Amino acid sequence: LEPTVLAASRSGAFELDVRDRVRAAVAQLPAELRVVVLLYDVEGYQHNQIADLIGISAGACRMRLLRAHQLLRTMLPLEREEWGGDHD
């Protein structure tokens, strides 16, 4: 890492920038995808719980989450370290 990036990372500013970019990207998702991302990734609900809450099947919930994550990856070309670890 470059010294400025390393210094920013140590100060926490780097992590804040990543979080801000992720929040902005999530906000740009279509509503039917955004709600699933927020309920699953942020609030920790399970697929069947989300399905019951928003009136879709658990399979549809999984597909929406998959589509949302695919869109977020294209919207956020982050380095592996920025995602918070190994995600293979």
Side-chain angles (χ1 to χ4, degrees), residues 29-62:
L29 289 173
E32 69 272 4
L33 302 181
R34 184 174 56 247
V35 69
V36 173
V37 167
L38 293 174
L39 289 172
Y40 187 85
D41 292 326
V42 177
E43 298 296 330
Y45 285 89
Q46 298 299 312
H47 293 291
N48 61 337
Q49 294 171 313
I50 297 168
D52 289 343
L53 282 171
I54 64 174
I56 62 173
S57 70
C61 177
R62 286 183 186 88

Side-chain angles (χ1 to χ4, degrees), residues 4-15:
T4 55
V5 173
L6 188 56
S9 180
R10 287 188 182 141
S11 71
F14 190 69
E15 288 84 3

Side-chain angles (χ1 to χ4, degrees), residues 63-75:
M63 286 305 298
R64 288 183 187 187
L65 188 62
L66 176 65
R67 285 193 349 233
H69 286 170
Q70 289 170 337
L71 278 172
L72 289 171
R73 282 186 193 103
T74 63
M75 296 164 71

